[in-house]
Amino acid sequence: MESRKVAAKTGKASTAGSSSDSLSRRERSLFVRNINYETTEEVLQSHFCELVGERKILSVSIDKQMANGEQVSLGCGSIEFDSVETATRVCRDLHKTVLDGRALLLQHCQGKNAEADSTTTLFVGNVRPSVREEDLRERFSPFGRVQHLTIPPVPLGNKRGFAFVEYATEDEAQNALRAMANTSMHGWPL
């Protein structure tokens, strides 16, 4: 399966160029998780426009991949704002607000110098289709308090082959990351 990002751009053009532009862009962007798989970029943008207005949003994208011949949402994406201050305000005021029945989880995109491991959520790749959420929860629970676990579905009820495991603290997530490195589950390497 090919993974792609589909972006819905708004009125302002972004400036391409130096690495400082790229860093600045990451600093004023938010990563959005737990997006309903049916939510469109337009609906997501409109949810944020209610707080900050359309002119402060530079771009909105929902990550998608091909499945059964069509683009399907991965349930996450990003939003770029006009400033770090706007991104910080949105992150503070709209974190865990509900859109299309799901609580949106917001976090700042990290720059190159940010700690790569400063997160409570782990991406678990190469999950065999026969693995259930209960199986993963049992496997990852010894390392800390699992707050949320999901194996994103694709249309027709199939599974995507990856999962997200969110822990209560960064330390718990790091414990799991160290312990689960180079392991397998149901005969498949994770």
Side-chain angles (χ1 to χ4, degrees):
M1 281 187 209
E2 179 184 329
S3 181
R4 327 187 338 184
K5 186 182 276 188
V6 178
K9 298 285 182 184
T10 58
K12 295 184 180 181
S14 63
T15 58
S18 72
S19 62
S20 66
D21 288 342
S22 177
L23 181 59
S24 175
R25 183 180 201 174
R26 281 190 299 266
E27 291 173 339
R28 66 176 185 258
S29 297
L30 296 178
F31 180 63
V32 184
R33 292 182 295 130
N34 204 34
I35 300 171
N36 185 306
Y37 298 110
E38 303 301 318
T39 300
T40 65
E41 280 106 353
E42 292 77 17
V43 170
L44 185 63
Q45 178 177 340
S46 136
H47 179 75
F48 289 94
C49 281
E50 292 174 12
L51 179 68
V52 298
E54 186 174 333
R55 299 191 70 183
K56 293 189 176 278
I57 298 173
L58 302 184
S59 68
V60 175
S61 67
I62 294 178
D63 294 346
K64 298 186 178 192
Q65 76 177 15
M66 287 295 285
N68 300 325
E70 64 180 77
Q71 290 284 328
V72 293
S73 170
L74 292 174
C76 60
S78 62
I79 300 182
E80 180 185 357
F81 295 95
D82 65 335
S83 68
V84 174
E85 293 77 20
T86 301
T88 301
R89 177 177 164 223
V90 169
C91 192
R92 181 191 68 225
D93 294 348
L94 293 182
H95 181 64
K96 294 189 178 180
T97 57
V98 176
L99 176 64
D100 293 338
R102 309 269 316 251
L104 299 177
L105 303 175
L106 307 176
Q107 68 187 61
H108 286 276
C109 292
Q110 297 178 349
K112 289 180 181 177
N113 297 327
E115 278 187 41
D117 59 358
S118 63
T119 183
T120 57
T121 303
L122 301 180
F123 171 83
V124 182
N126 206 32
V127 175
R128 191 176 201 145
S130 62
V131 172
R132 300 171 307 150
E133 285 187 11
E134 297 80 26
D135 299 331
L136 278 174
R137 185 173 299 279
E138 183 179 314
R139 187 74 182 269
F140 282 84
S141 289
F143 312 108
R145 295 163 291 165
V146 175
Q147 299 294 303
H148 183 69
L149 187 144
T150 185
I151 303 172
V154 292
L156 306 175
N158 297 326
K159 296 178 185 171
R160 294 183 192 266
F162 64 89
F164 295 101
V165 180
E166 182 178 358
Y167 284 93
T169 68
E170 291 176 22
D171 287 340
E172 292 171 342
Q174 288 306 306
N175 289 340
L177 187 60
R178 282 189 295 274
M180 295 301 290
N182 302 313
T183 63
S184 62
M185 186 169 191
H186 293 251
W188 285 22
L190 296 178

